[in-house]
Amino acid sequence: MAVRIKVPKRAALVRFVLHPWGRALLIAFLVVNTIGLAAFTYYYVRYSKMIEQKLAAGPFANTSMLFASPKIVMVGDEITPAEIIAQLRRSGYGETRGNRMGWYNLRSDAVEVYPGVESFFLQEDGVIMFNGNKVSKIISLQDNTDRTQYRLEPELITNLFDRNREKRRLVKFQEIPAVLVKAVISAEDKRFFQHSGFDPFRILRSAYVDLREGRNAQGASTLTMQLARQFWLTADRTWKRKMPEVMITLHLERNLSKEKIFEYYANQIDLGRRGSFAIRGFGEAAQAYFGKDIRQLSLGEAATLAGLIQSPSGKNPVRYPEKAKTRRNLVLRMMRDNGYINDREYAQATAEPLVVSRGGSESSDAPYFVDLVNDTLQDEFQEHDFQTSSYRVYTSLDMNLQKDASDAVRIGMKEVDDLIRKRTKKGANPGEPQVALVALDPQTGEIKALIGGRDYGASQLNRALAKRQPGSAFKPFVYAAALNTGLAGGPNAMTTATTVVDEPTTFFYNGKPYTPGNFEHELHGTVTLRQALAKSMNIPTVKFAEEAGYKTVVDLARKAGLNSEIRPTPAVALGAYEVTPIEIAGAYTLFDEKGVVVKPNWVQMIRSQKGSTVFESTPERHVVLDPRVNYLMVDLLQEVLRSGTGANVRARGFKLPAAGKTGTSQKEHDGWFAGFTSKLVCVVWVGYDDNRELNIEGAKSALPIWTEFMKRAHQHREYRSVTGWDAPDGIVSVDIDPASGQLATPACPSTRSEYFIAGTQPVQLCQLHSTGATQVAGWETAAPKPAVATDTGAAPAEYRSTQTIPIKPLDSTQTQQAPVERPKEKRGFFGRVKDIFK
């Protein structure tokens, strides 16, 4: 009989452990686990510290912000509460108290505004009240008194100012609509609110699909894992990245709520590009793609944004609308399958067209302007790190004018393209001309709008800073130098009625000949200075420059802020030396500002993360022209628009008081128009980057863009109240014969009122149409006042009056000029008068 002896399992385990191989395996197991635990602990502690440091500082704290200029709301303005709120939202305000930028409260008849600790103004709280769609009352909550206006927070141009040109608008979880949350988790992680950072069901399903298809076909990353990669790791799909990804995911899930994780994710996710900027987060994507606040997203729009996560570039709704629509509908189907929407909502949303905001990315991004600011910060504030510190940079940009500029360039360049297309031979490639537009406030020099090219994505060259020949846009500085001779008086003083002969002429300078020609080789005979500028005649312009002195012309141009490389040669009169559009815009401020030039500027203020002011701009102003000379120049430049080469401005419907000058460089390489109202100076350049001939004069290339912009710009309240330019003391007006430039007589077939610096007006009667007296007796002229010699930024008091001094008859008690002695002979009355004034 066999007896079975049962050996206890514990004894077997003991024998295994006591066996050499058993001991070796056990030791190996303990060593591996110890090493693994140590490695896990090391990496967990390491990444925990890294995560805590970032979260403590705020994951989006180290981003400098770029702001546009503030908006002013006034009593009587036509604006709705929704528009006010939209402006506040774009500036970073929210609905919740404690928002660092500020918060607002919407009432049935008003909007309450409460600036926060990071507000630009640090001003008092206010209430903007409405009656319909008009502002009826503004109350300061500081003392409960009425105000006539209230300044709104500057709008963000970009939240993140860095080398990658990323742009985001931070949102709180409470501000994210539920429909967007449901769309995102349906598309990316449907058990996000149930799992602890890892979804085992999704991991198994992903592994099964990968094995079945033999490739990495489906990801298993949760939103938390994606966030871990976005904040702290690279996007490389390697096993080396997986360990830290797991560590970071565990720490995030342990220390943050699901809502906070989703909030960080919603602000960090890459959602493609619009214009020149990369879009980060749903807040910016809602504005960039749909022109909406994130809370206004529809079901279909929310699904579109959620669908972008998979392939931000490939599903971009601007570039690939059909692909984006297909992905949107797939997300909607997943939302329906998850029970977030019903069949009816699904059917309606999938049937909707995909409508993307076409407001123009160039207008909202202002990429060339942003580059200009970036270059300034790097060049002039090198001791500050704008890439990793949270500075607030306040600029001069007006977002409304920037949009107007973008629209005007788009419309105007289509005209240019059409002109080029008509003259181009079939099969030839004429290339694409480029454009620059600069608009600034003449009183402060602040650049309000800037376009540096047609497409920033295609070329980042900022043409507003490119040097090109200004052509006839430079001529006003020639004529200003000529009229300056009237300040000293004397026989060589030139006036608006001074005449020269427009005929073929060769000029010599340093022994070298220079023979200019007029546009289309037209010659006009004897012309006045006014006619020469209005019709942009080249030969007379060089004659006036020669008479004034080429060096005098160059000195004046340099004082106005133009290129220091300009040389005193005959060619300078026709704009042969290169300048930039920004330089021309700055120089033209002197005509708008009574002879005072204001230097262009674009960075208004810089504040540190703690709120201290690092920099604050003050306008640089310099007296360049006597106000009397300047008034004559403004009148001449108005004549350009009345009867000269700029008359198309009026024909195109811009009727406000304005002045300007067309410009076409030699050989027609460039087209220009520089002009101004009392509110804005605007300069437009059109040409090719490689400096080939454009063969379109400025009146047909740049002028249409300028006119379209100015028509749009002056519809805004800030620029609507345009005024004319009043004559200062020391200006007189007399009637002359345009053909002779002399005093008009009843026999003259046509006359015109002409302005002069007192003491330089003609005293001879028109000899072309009169056979009698050649001079008027019994009239006095005021002595010319000395030129302004100060450099204080403001005209002296004696030049500030708008009164015009008339020429008046002498009193009978006053003594007239003694006659010149001549041999006694019998002479008539007019002969005696003539002798008196010889």
Side-chain angles (χ1 to χ4, degrees):
M1 179 176 177
V3 178
R4 292 184 177 181
I5 300 175
K6 189 174 182 180
V7 180
K9 293 182 178 179
R10 180 174 298 179
L13 179 60
V14 170
R15 286 198 300 272
F16 174 78
V17 171
L18 293 176
H19 193 279
W21 283 106
R23 285 198 303 273
L25 288 173
L26 180 59
I27 292 171
F29 175 79
L30 292 174
V31 169
V32 169
N33 278 274
T34 301
I35 294 173
L37 181 61
F40 179 87
T41 303
Y42 169 78
Y43 281 107
Y44 186 81
V45 172
R46 173 187 172 189
Y47 286 106
S48 295
K49 290 181 179 179
M50 182 177 67
I51 295 167
E52 290 301 328
Q53 288 175 354
K54 189 175 186 69
L55 295 181
F60 310 105
N62 295 328
T63 57
S64 292
M65 294 178 287
L66 219 62
F67 292 89
S69 60
K71 288 295 178 186
I72 297 177
V73 178
M74 299 187 69
V75 173
D77 281 356
E78 293 187 2
I79 192 170
T80 66
E83 291 174 318
I84 293 288
I85 290 175
Q87 175 69 36
L88 292 172
R89 294 284 305 174
R90 289 194 295 269
S91 302
Y93 276 50
E95 287 183 319
T96 57
R97 289 177 182 267
N99 187 308
R100 296 184 62 82
M101 189 65 72
W103 65 284
Y104 61 86
N105 179 46
L106 176 63
R107 295 175 5 197
S108 59
D109 63 340
V111 176
E112 300 173 3
V113 184
Y114 300 94
V117 295
E118 294 182 357
S119 169
F120 171 65
F121 303 114
L122 301 177
Q123 63 181 0
E124 68 267 25
D125 305 335
V127 179
I128 305 172
M129 305 188 71
F130 297 87
N131 183 6
N133 292 337
K134 275 191 174 182
V135 176
S136 59
K137 196 173 186 178
I138 298 175
I139 302 174
S140 168
L141 295 181
Q142 183 175 353
D143 52 14
N144 290 321
T145 58
D146 288 356
R147 297 283 191 270
T148 58
Q149 66 180 34
Y150 191 87
R151 293 194 298 176
L152 298 178
E153 199 75 32
E155 181 177 341
L156 283 166
I157 302 174
T158 173
N159 258 94
L160 186 61
F161 187 64
D162 70 354
R163 301 174 183 87
N164 298 321
R165 300 183 65 86
E166 293 176 342
K167 195 173 181 182
R168 70 161 53 82
R169 295 171 191 264
L170 298 178
V171 295
K172 300 292 186 182
F173 180 81
Q174 295 80 3
E175 298 169 335
I176 303 172
V179 67
L180 179 58
V181 176
K182 294 172 181 177
V184 171
I185 63 176
S186 294
E188 295 296 318
D189 186 2
K190 70 178 182 179
R191 278 178 285 273
F192 170 73
F193 288 100
Q194 285 78 47
H195 63 64
S196 299
F198 306 96
D199 187 348
F201 297 102
R202 189 173 182 183
I203 293 173
L204 291 173
R205 182 173 179 272
S206 174
Y208 170 73
V209 173
D210 290 350
L211 289 172
R212 185 185 63 188
E213 299 191 13
R215 61 187 180 89
N216 191 4
Q218 193 172 72
S221 296
T222 62
L223 293 187
T224 314
M225 295 168 71
Q226 292 182 43
L227 181 65
R229 287 199 302 269
Q230 292 164 12
F231 271 148
W232 291 279
L233 304 172
T234 67
D236 299 333
R237 293 188 175 186
T238 62
W239 284 105
K240 186 178 180 180
R241 189 202 69 194
K242 281 298 179 182
M243 177 61 73
E245 182 179 300
V246 169
M247 302 295 176
I248 296 171
T249 299
L250 288 172
H251 191 79
L252 290 175
E253 287 283 345
R254 178 184 174 189
N255 291 275
L256 299 178
S257 67
K258 285 289 188 179
E259 289 77 10
K260 183 58 70 173
I261 292 173
F262 192 95
E263 177 185 307
Y264 287 161
Y265 179 87
N267 285 309
Q268 177 65 15
I269 189 67
D270 177 13
L271 294 172
R273 301 188 72 87
R274 185 83 202 265
S276 63
F277 285 93
I279 299 169
R280 287 286 189 176
F282 294 114
E284 180 60 35
Q287 186 67 41
Y289 292 124
F290 303 113
K292 290 184 175 183
D293 182 275
I294 190 172
R295 295 171 304 168
Q296 299 172 331
L297 291 172
S298 67
L299 171 60
E301 291 165 346
T304 302
L305 296 185
L308 274 172
I309 299 172
Q310 183 191 65
S311 177
S313 299
K315 302 295 190 301
N316 189 302
V318 177
R319 300 182 62 187
Y320 308 108
E322 289 304 317
K323 291 182 179 180
K325 187 175 180 180
T326 300
R327 177 64 179 170
R328 176 201 72 179
N329 293 344
L330 179 58
V331 174
L332 288 168
R333 190 178 71 190
M334 288 188 284
M335 293 179 71
R336 183 194 60 183
D337 295 343
N338 291 332
Y340 293 132
I341 59 176
N342 56 39
D343 290 340
R344 180 171 173 273
E345 291 172 322
Y346 169 75
Q348 289 178 340
T350 54
E352 289 178 1
L354 179 60
V355 180
V356 178
S357 171
R358 298 293 179 182
S361 59
E362 292 298 302
S363 66
S364 60
D365 291 348
Y368 295 101
F369 181 82
V370 170
D371 280 353
L372 181 65
V373 173
N374 189 14
D375 292 342
T376 301
L377 296 178
Q378 291 180 1
D379 294 342
E380 300 182 16
F381 302 92
Q382 297 180 9
E383 67 276 18
H384 300 282
D385 186 359
F386 294 95
Q387 307 294 342
T388 60
S389 300
S390 184
Y391 287 90
R392 292 171 181 82
V393 181
Y394 297 95
T395 73
S396 59
L397 192 71
D398 185 313
M399 298 302 285
N400 289 332
L401 293 192
Q402 183 65 23
K403 183 181 184 304
D404 293 336
S406 180
D407 291 342
V409 164
R410 175 176 48 82
I411 293 170
M413 290 306 291
K414 184 179 182 302
E415 289 190 33
V416 174
D417 291 339
D418 290 342
L419 289 174
I420 294 175
R421 193 178 301 111
K422 288 178 181 178
R423 74 179 187 209
T424 303
K425 295 180 180 180
K426 190 175 182 180
N429 181 16
E432 186 177 66
Q434 282 294 341
V435 63
L437 182 151
V438 178
L440 54 78
D441 184 328
Q443 297 179 358
T444 64
E446 296 175 0
I447 290 183
K448 295 297 182 181
L450 185 142
I451 302 290
R454 299 180 71 163
D455 183 356
Y456 186 89
S459 171
Q460 291 79 52
L461 174 65
N462 190 350
R463 285 89 183 170
L465 295 171
K467 292 182 178 181
R468 302 299 290 256
Q469 291 184 350
S472 298
F474 181 85
K475 287 179 180 177
F477 304 100
V478 174
Y479 287 89
L483 293 176
N484 256 336
T485 61
L487 296 175
N492 295 324
M494 286 180 275
T495 71
T496 54
T498 299
T499 60
V500 295
V501 180
D502 182 18
E503 61 183 359
T505 307
T506 297
F507 301 87
F508 289 87
Y509 186 79
N510 288 339
K512 297 180 180 180
Y514 178 68
T515 307
N518 287 337
F519 182 69
E520 294 184 349
H521 308 290
E522 292 182 351
L523 297 172
H524 304 85
T526 300
V527 295
T528 64
L529 182 146
R530 176 179 293 275
Q531 292 169 327
L533 179 58
K535 300 295 184 181
S536 200
M537 303 175 192
N538 289 342
I539 297 170
T541 300
V542 181
K543 288 187 175 182
F544 283 120
E546 183 179 49
E547 187 67 23
Y550 301 129
K551 185 178 184 302
T552 302
V553 172
V554 171
D555 288 344
L556 177 61
R558 289 177 179 172
K559 288 179 181 178
L562 295 180
N563 184 4
S564 60
E565 298 301 316
I566 295 174
R567 294 288 178 259
T569 67
V572 73
L574 305 184
Y577 295 93
E578 295 178 333
V579 296
T580 71
I582 288 182
E583 287 177 343
I584 285 286
Y588 266 66
T589 61
L590 76 90
F591 301 125
D592 217 346
E593 283 295 289
K594 300 179 181 179
V596 178
V597 70
V598 188
K599 185 178 179 180
N601 60 88
W602 41 90
V603 177
Q604 301 308 112
M605 181 184 289
I606 303 173
R607 282 184 179 160
S608 69
Q609 187 172 355
K610 296 180 180 179
S612 61
T613 300
V614 175
F615 168 79
E616 189 168 2
S617 173
T618 55
E620 292 186 31
R621 301 167 61 88
H622 304 284
V623 174
V624 175
L625 284 180
D626 182 289
R628 295 167 293 173
V629 174
N630 191 75
Y631 177 78
L632 297 181
M633 283 304 308
V634 171
D635 185 59
L636 291 174
L637 293 173
Q638 287 179 285
E639 188 67 44
V640 173
L641 271 59
R642 284 193 293 264
S643 64
T645 56
N648 238 356
V649 167
R650 302 308 189 191
R652 288 175 173 267
F654 186 61
K655 304 299 184 183
L656 294 176
K661 184 68 186 75
T662 55
T664 308
S665 64
Q666 296 184 51
K667 298 184 179 180
E668 298 185 42
H669 291 277
D670 310 271
W672 293 78
F673 193 87
F676 53 91
T677 67
S678 60
K679 296 292 185 180
L680 286 172
V681 172
C682 179
V683 172
V684 177
W685 166 86
V686 177
Y688 284 103
D689 284 339
D690 59 6
N691 206 29
R692 80 178 86 165
E693 293 182 12
L694 181 66
N695 286 326
I696 305 175
E697 61 267 31
K700 294 181 180 178
S701 59
L703 181 149
I705 299 172
W706 185 92
T707 307
E708 185 66 29
F709 169 75
M710 295 296 263
K711 285 164 63 177
R712 292 167 179 264
H714 287 85
Q715 292 177 10
H716 303 297
R717 177 187 48 76
E718 302 95 319
Y719 311 102
R720 197 178 298 151
S721 302
V722 172
T723 61
W725 295 269
D726 295 327
D729 288 347
I731 292 292
V732 298
S733 173
V734 297
D735 291 337
I736 68 168
D737 180 282
S740 66
Q742 297 170 325
L743 292 176
T745 70
C748 293
S750 64
T751 64
R752 67 163 291 133
S753 292
E754 188 61 86
Y755 294 103
F756 300 89
I757 296 174
T760 66
Q761 69 274 9
V763 295
Q764 285 189 322
L765 295 174
C766 175
Q767 297 184 16
L768 291 178
H769 306 105
S770 174
T771 58
T774 60
Q775 201 164 8
V776 178
W779 297 80
E780 71 165 353
T781 58
K785 294 182 179 180
V788 179
T790 60
D791 191 26
T792 61
E798 62 264 33
Y799 296 127
R800 295 177 191 160
S801 170
T802 58
Q803 177 185 2
T804 300
I805 300 178
I807 301 177
K808 57 185 179 182
L810 292 170
D811 295 335
S812 58
T813 58
Q814 289 181 297
T815 304
Q816 296 183 9
Q817 184 176 344
V820 179
E821 289 191 10
R822 292 184 177 276
K824 293 182 179 180
E825 59 179 297
K826 197 172 182 179
R827 299 175 60 79
F829 170 76
F830 288 108
R832 290 196 299 275
V833 172
K834 183 176 181 181
D835 287 342
I836 289 173
F837 287 92
K838 278 189 177 179

